[in-house]
Amino acid sequence: MTQVPDQTPIPAAGPVGGATRGPWARVARDFARSPLAMTALVVLALVVLAAVFAPLLTPQNPYDLMQLDIMDGMLEPGSPSAAGGYTYLLGTDDQGRDLFSAILYGLRISLSVGVVAALVAALVGASLGLFAAYVGGRTETAIMRLVDLQLSFPSILVALMILAFLGKGVQNVVLALIIVEWASYARTARGTALVESRREYIQAADCLGVPMSRIIFRHLLPNCLPPLIVMATIQVARAISLEATLSFLGLGVPVTEPSLGLLISNGYQYLLSGQYWLSFYPGIALLVTIVAINLVGDQFRDVFNPKGRG
Amino acid sequence: MVQAKAQRESSPLLSVRNLRTSFQVEGRWTRVLNDVSFEIGNRQTLAVVGESGSGKSVTAMSIMRLLPPATSRIEGEVLFRGRDLLKLPSEEMRRIRGSDIAMIFQETSLNPVYTIGFHMVETLRQHRNLSAAEARREAVALLDKVRIPSAASRLDDYAHQFSGGMRQRVMIAIALACNPKLLIADEPTTALDVTIQAQILQTLRDLQAEEDMSILFITHDMGVVAEMSDRTIVMYHGDAVEEGETRRIFAAPGAPYTRSLLAAVPRLGEMAESPGPSRFPVIDRATGAVVTPAASGSVPDGSAPIVLQVEDLVKRFDIHGGTFGGLTGRVHAVEKVSFDIREGETLSLVGESGCGKSTTGRTIMGLTSPTGGSVRMEGREIGSLGRRELRMTRRRMQMIFQDPISSLNARMTVGAAIAEPFLVHKLGGKAQARDKVAYLLERVGLRPDMANRYPHEFSGGQRQRISLARALILDPKLIIADESVSALDVSVKAQVINLMLDLQSQLKLSYLFISHDMAVVERVSHRVAVMYLGEIVEIGARAAVFGNPQHPYTRKLLSAVPVADPDQRGQRRVEAGELKSPVRAVDFVPPGREYREVSAGHWVQLADNRSW
């Protein structure tokens, strides 16, 4: 730290360090303070990488019937394949599908559904919330009553109704999740924006003749982001588990694109007959993913909330 | 026996020796108090004065042992009536707190769900073993003692039913409940209006004589120091740089820092001779040598063009209530306010909180739309302009806000923040903007390479400079400064004011200077308008209004200001009274007001039979 000498006689010169760091750099530094959160972040990164590079990491494509060998059906974890060449690390299902491969492919579906749903919901919800806060009046009332209405129904019920109406399918699940989740973003965004828009820098921008759209996107939005980021992180986990629930109930993704939830559901009938691995390992994968995301989200919340720091 | 008693009489009540306090910050011990020593005798008042971060509050907290033991370390001796408080078991220390030594703070700490009486009775029963009925009687007596009108009936009121000044009185009453020998007052009047502050200070002085107690008074305000204390310690960065009799310190400050601090304090009445504003002298705080002497600012002549003309400006806010959200009343925030400002001139709006001075500024700026009246900027009526013209005209006036922290977007570099208005108004390209930002940063006393930094890397005073630079990039004629220096430390305040005066004479800027601080206003303005309940009650040249105040409210306001001169202490008495509310019924019609011209350009509202 080199103290920069002040040219002017300003005695109370701030703690001006050598290098300049933006607010986001500070967030990164504070985030790295917690070993638990860093572990969770690493685990999450591994999970995401495993899902992205699933074709390279798995011995077979579990949904290419040509690669399955019915003779390998219901093998315990660690069994070698009949044709040789590789080991079924986590066992196989009744069609000889390698469960490890199925889990990685399932992660792809689960993660992409969760992330896409959470991000689109965040975009829609946050825009509506910011708009409501800045415009006010009847528009605000209309949007916020819609939010109240949406939030007064249990999300699983709403999602089930939508899917019963639209039918199965990855897109339909994503759509259902967006409809279920946008409202909570809108509420958070409006609350934060109401506080921020009374701050003096917004008024200063007003005085300086900065146009409204620029005030909303350059000034209001970046300062409302912290709570929204926390929420989006945790909502990804929520979306994944909701998708798993829907798939488990048979209303989620189709059998041709099985997610972790569907894998659990498929193995469920064998759970008590000794083939525990069919449900157990997909369940562990789901658990690890969700816990890692939640830990990362919790740390974000602590970093962004100065009051939370002791 | 007699000898022992006599000895106790002569020995000081509190004697602090080599007090050293350290805090643990991120694993490292950092010293925040360096060998502070002082004594307080019986019935004496000792002021601890310093700017933020000087360690004045830490001194009090260390004496009371109120710092978290895990992350703080207190060394030295704190002898209270001969006993070392730092060595007492914590149980005993707790008994001393609140009984022998009481404390009051800037913020009143009353639990909002209990009545005032509950708070007081609780304290009395705990510390003095009184029965419920006795405690209640005693509570009424205490409220009487701190001059709360009709004390008995107010005992069952809640904290929110009291005004800020009255709440502070309640806190003093609670502090007095156990007849403390020492009262530690930590900035007790900082959050209060001047007239209320004057009343509280007076009450404290009276009580000190009645109750035979000593006061340790912590403050940043040299005026309050001069008003209150027998002895003074000046703190700077954890060191007691000077200690002595208050009169001596004001008359002949020894330490260079004290000298620079006192030079930065405006004293009411010292400007009687000069017509215009005046720069503060700058004194090197290491050597005490005068760097630049005080100098008069420019005075515009009578022929300078009028920049801003405000006529009969009215702003009312509707209050909705009831089941159907109907109109239940109106806040008459600004009522028929008229004035004009010439080029290169500073007009100050002064008044206490709730008088409508900020709303006036915001309405002129267009942050809220006026209910009535007209605002003309350089001859153009703002209400009649279209969107485009309004934006053009608005460029000619700019506003600087009070809070140096929240008036800059934390997620934008300083350079981007200053350049933004230039770019959105399409006054030039990016390269031009960069050049202009560099030029303006230098102009406000910062370095051009600071443009790449974020606001959190700057101190409060530097941030106000940045706000000034941002306002100046549009080449405005008028700057509305809404309490722009109120949140700054004394010496920083003086520097920012000097900068504003320099900019005024160089750029022929006009200022609408909104402030509650009479002493600062006297220093910076050419003309002054005093506001009360949304109306201007007196307006005129600064020398005329301060030298020959005509309206009773102006006089009251002036007499309430603590003057940084111990020789003038206690010459003025302020009548108790609370600021009235500007909330009126829906059908209220404001009475017509008439003004009388006292001397050329000095107008005063004809007083009605309101009590002032």
Side-chain angles (χ1 to χ4, degrees):
Chain A
M1 287 268 280
T2 50
Q3 196 74 30
V4 178
D6 218 328
Q7 284 187 330
T8 57
I10 307 167
V16 178
T20 248
R21 267 195 302 235
W24 296 114
R26 274 199 295 170
V27 166
R29 193 193 58 208
D30 286 351
F31 189 93
R33 285 219 177 117
S34 156
L36 181 65
M38 282 313 280
T39 316
L41 193 65
V42 170
V43 169
L44 188 60
L46 288 178
V47 168
V48 171
L49 287 177
V52 170
F53 295 109
L56 303 177
L57 297 172
T58 52
Q60 57 167 229
N61 179 347
Y63 300 102
D64 180 357
L65 292 176
M66 298 301 289
Q67 294 182 29
L68 301 188
D69 186 347
I70 198 77
M71 297 303 289
D72 286 345
M74 288 297 180
L75 291 180
E76 288 200 12
S79 312
S81 65
Y86 52 83
T87 314
Y88 296 118
L89 277 178
L90 301 179
T92 60
D93 68 1
D94 50 356
Q95 296 174 54
R97 185 175 286 135
D98 176 34
L99 196 58
F100 176 69
S101 312
I103 287 175
L104 289 199
Y105 276 78
L107 262 177
R108 299 181 108 183
I109 306 284
S110 289
L111 279 177
S112 47
V113 165
V115 169
V116 171
L119 287 187
V120 177
L123 199 70
V124 174
S127 310
L128 281 171
L130 285 181
F131 182 68
Y134 197 78
V135 176
R138 293 235 168 95
T139 323
E140 182 183 20
T141 314
I143 294 176
M144 293 328 287
R145 287 305 84 77
L146 195 63
V147 167
D148 291 342
L149 190 71
Q150 173 76 65
L151 290 177
S152 61
F153 289 106
S155 41
I156 183 78
L157 187 69
V158 177
L160 278 175
M161 284 190 325
I162 295 168
L163 285 174
F165 189 70
L166 294 175
K168 284 184 174 190
V170 174
Q171 286 99 327
N172 291 349
V173 172
V174 171
L175 189 64
L177 292 176
I178 293 168
I179 293 175
V180 166
E181 287 191 345
W182 74 274
S184 32
Y185 287 104
R187 186 175 271 182
T188 309
R190 173 179 166 268
T192 324
L194 277 183
V195 175
E196 289 295 324
S197 57
R198 271 189 226 112
R199 303 279 292 272
E200 288 179 346
Y201 68 87
I202 298 289
Q203 295 177 11
D206 243 341
C207 293
L208 292 161
V210 178
M212 172 168 139
S213 61
R214 199 180 154 85
I215 290 182
I216 291 187
F217 288 107
R218 275 304 302 268
H219 294 275
L220 208 47
L221 182 63
N223 286 287
C224 294
L225 271 185
L228 291 173
I229 289 175
V230 173
M231 208 166 160
T233 326
I234 294 183
Q235 290 284 37
V236 169
R238 223 176 83 93
I240 289 175
S241 72
L242 198 56
E243 179 276 323
T245 313
L246 291 169
S247 298
F248 184 83
L249 293 173
L251 273 169
V253 294
V255 202
T256 48
E257 293 166 284
S259 65
L260 291 176
L262 195 58
L263 290 178
I264 297 171
S265 169
N266 288 341
Y268 181 64
Q269 46 186 316
Y270 302 106
L271 203 55
L272 295 176
S273 46
Q275 286 90 358
Y276 69 94
W277 59 89
L278 289 175
S279 279
F280 183 72
Y281 290 115
I284 293 289
L286 187 65
L287 183 82
V288 167
T289 312
I290 290 177
V291 168
I293 296 176
N294 276 328
L295 286 175
V296 169
D298 278 351
Q299 180 66 5
F300 269 130
R301 180 169 50 209
D302 291 350
V303 167
F304 287 134
N305 179 10
K307 281 186 201 145
R309 278 179 238 164
Chain B
M1 183 82 174
V2 175
Q3 215 169 12
K5 196 177 174 219
Q7 199 182 358
R8 202 184 310 145
E9 289 287 298
S10 67
S11 73
L13 178 73
L14 179 81
S15 140
V16 174
R17 288 181 199 153
N18 299 333
L19 189 64
R20 245 177 273 163
T21 303
S22 317
F23 286 137
Q24 194 177 27
V25 184
E26 286 170 13
R28 282 215 316 271
W29 287 97
T30 315
R31 182 79 66 79
V32 289
L33 274 189
N34 289 323
D35 288 314
V36 173
S37 305
F38 57 86
E39 288 178 350
I40 305 179
N42 287 317
R43 281 194 178 203
Q44 235 186 17
T45 301
L46 175 84
V48 180
V49 66
E51 298 181 287
S52 45
S54 61
K56 52 192 193 301
S57 282
V58 176
T59 308
M61 302 294 264
S62 302
I63 293 169
M64 289 292 257
R65 280 171 56 189
L66 284 171
L67 299 168
T71 54
S72 63
R73 202 162 54 195
I74 310 169
E75 295 156 292
E77 273 184 337
V78 178
L79 297 173
F80 178 70
R81 297 165 126 183
R83 289 205 295 171
D84 189 350
L85 296 184
L86 297 182
K87 296 205 172 64
L88 287 185
S90 52
E91 195 48 44
E92 200 138 331
M93 187 64 214
R94 191 168 318 145
R95 256 201 305 280
I96 287 186
R97 270 184 230 135
S99 58
D100 287 336
I101 307 180
M103 220 169 163
I104 52 176
F105 300 93
Q106 176 175 348
E107 304 289 331
T108 52
S109 42
L110 292 166
N111 188 330
V113 304
Y114 294 119
T115 61
I116 298 304
F118 178 89
H119 283 279
M120 301 195 64
V121 168
E122 189 188 40
T123 316
L124 286 165
R125 296 193 65 181
Q126 228 168 49
H127 285 283
R128 279 175 46 186
N129 271 328
L130 298 179
S131 74
E134 283 170 336
R136 228 184 128 77
R137 256 196 313 278
E138 182 65 24
V140 175
L142 281 167
L143 289 183
D144 265 333
K145 203 179 267 175
V146 295
R147 283 80 170 157
I148 288 182
S150 50
S153 65
R154 299 224 63 180
L155 209 54
D156 293 317
D157 285 350
Y158 291 89
H160 71 266
Q161 291 165 297
F162 288 79
S163 65
M166 284 296 159
R167 272 205 291 272
Q168 196 56 274
R169 282 173 195 268
V170 172
M171 290 312 293
I172 296 172
I174 293 175
L176 293 181
C178 302
N179 303 317
K181 299 313 292 172
L182 175 66
L183 178 69
I184 299 182
D186 189 352
E187 303 266 11
T189 56
T190 303
L192 304 174
D193 277 325
V194 273
T195 54
I196 311 296
Q197 162 172 290
Q199 294 160 20
I200 296 280
L201 293 181
Q202 199 172 303
T203 307
L204 279 174
R205 270 200 306 265
D206 294 349
L207 286 172
Q208 179 169 29
E210 290 166 23
E211 300 289 302
D212 186 26
M213 67 180 175
S214 307
I215 300 181
L216 176 64
F217 203 102
I218 295 165
T219 181
H220 68 282
D221 187 334
M222 290 309 264
V224 173
V225 173
E227 202 78 13
M228 289 298 290
S229 69
D230 307 309
R231 296 179 71 79
T232 300
I233 307 182
V234 183
M235 303 271 304
Y236 178 59
H237 282 331
D239 289 306
V241 293
E242 184 158 10
E243 201 234 322
E245 211 184 316
T246 304
R247 247 171 239 275
R248 203 270 300 152
I249 286 188
F250 275 84
Y257 174 71
T258 317
R259 244 176 283 165
S260 74
L261 193 63
L262 282 170
V265 176
R267 290 167 208 215
L268 205 61
E270 67 183 343
M271 299 277 299
E273 303 306 313
S274 76
S278 170
R279 292 179 97 255
F280 288 93
V282 178
I283 287 176
D284 191 295
R285 49 178 60 188
T287 63
V290 179
V291 182
T292 45
S296 302
S298 55
V299 183
D301 54 44
S303 65
I306 290 179
V307 172
L308 179 78
Q309 205 166 8
V310 177
E311 222 168 292
D312 289 337
L313 190 70
V314 177
K315 177 67 192 176
R316 293 173 194 156
F317 296 99
D318 292 345
I319 304 172
H320 294 276
T323 322
F324 299 104
L327 192 63
T328 54
R330 279 197 192 99
V331 182
H332 289 240
V334 180
E335 203 53 68
K336 295 226 166 168
V337 162
S338 310
F339 56 80
D340 44 45
I341 303 180
R342 288 178 185 279
E343 182 178 70
E345 184 182 56
T346 302
L347 173 74
S348 292
L349 282 182
V350 281
E352 296 182 280
S353 48
C355 75
K357 56 191 191 300
S358 279
T359 310
T360 306
R362 294 168 53 87
T363 313
I364 293 169
M365 195 63 223
L367 286 173
T368 56
S369 52
T371 310
S374 92
V375 176
R376 267 194 294 276
M377 180 72 198
E378 296 182 302
R380 280 138 71 87
E381 172 65 48
I382 290 200
S384 71
L385 295 176
R387 272 182 74 102
R388 262 190 64 131
E389 284 169 304
L390 186 64
R391 270 187 72 187
M392 295 297 287
T393 310
R394 262 206 186 169
R395 266 170 41 194
R396 309 293 288 165
M397 55 174 153
Q398 283 306 320
M399 195 154 179
I400 317 272
F401 295 88
Q402 171 174 9
D403 184 0
I405 293 162
S406 83
S407 59
L408 290 169
N409 185 344
R411 295 180 198 284
M412 250 182 172
T413 62
V414 161
I418 299 175
E420 185 182 32
F422 188 80
L423 293 172
V424 300
H425 284 282
K426 300 200 172 61
L427 300 179
K430 285 209 165 143
Q432 277 169 292
R434 212 168 19 243
D435 292 346
K436 186 139 193 196
V437 167
Y439 166 77
L440 283 171
L441 279 173
E442 262 185 347
R443 192 100 211 213
V444 298
L446 299 171
R447 281 183 291 114
D449 62 284
M450 289 175 170
N452 294 323
R453 301 206 178 143
Y454 286 88
H456 70 87
E457 297 174 64
F458 294 89
S459 65
Q462 288 174 321
R463 278 188 250 196
Q464 283 312 57
R465 288 168 189 263
I466 293 165
S467 294
L468 259 170
R470 181 178 55 180
L472 289 177
I473 200 162
L474 294 176
D475 299 319
K477 287 305 288 177
L478 171 73
I479 289 187
I480 300 178
D482 187 359
E483 300 276 11
S484 301
V485 295
S486 304
L488 304 176
D489 270 327
V490 195
S491 57
V492 182
K493 191 185 287 191
Q495 289 161 11
V496 174
I497 287 173
N498 279 353
L499 172 66
M500 288 177 71
L501 294 179
D502 291 346
L503 291 170
Q504 174 164 58
S505 50
Q506 288 156 14
L507 305 173
K508 288 203 179 241
L509 284 174
S510 307
Y511 290 119
L512 178 61
F513 192 88
I514 298 168
S515 178
H516 69 280
D517 188 334
M518 297 297 274
V520 168
V521 161
E522 189 190 26
R523 192 85 191 194
V524 302
S525 29
H526 299 98
R527 289 194 305 135
V528 177
V530 181
M531 284 190 76
Y532 181 75
L533 286 183
E535 297 171 19
I536 290 182
V537 294
E538 186 159 1
I539 183 169
R542 195 256 304 132
V545 174
F546 278 77
N548 182 21
Q550 289 297 308
H551 197 276
Y553 180 70
T554 314
R555 286 189 197 150
K556 180 179 170 181
L557 208 53
L558 280 170
S559 70
V561 180
V563 179
D565 182 356
D567 293 326
Q568 288 186 31
R569 178 191 304 181
Q571 293 175 1
R572 300 156 289 123
R573 287 196 73 90
V574 179
E575 298 308 313
E578 298 279 307
L579 200 63
K580 291 176 191 68
S581 158
V583 178
R584 310 278 187 209
V586 181
D587 54 2
F588 176 79
V589 179
R593 301 287 188 202
E594 283 180 46
Y595 289 82
R596 176 169 65 91
E597 189 163 23
V598 182
S599 57
H602 181 186
W603 295 83
V604 60
Q605 191 182 75
L606 290 177
D608 55 8
N609 39 18
R610 286 188 277 185
S611 63
W612 298 95

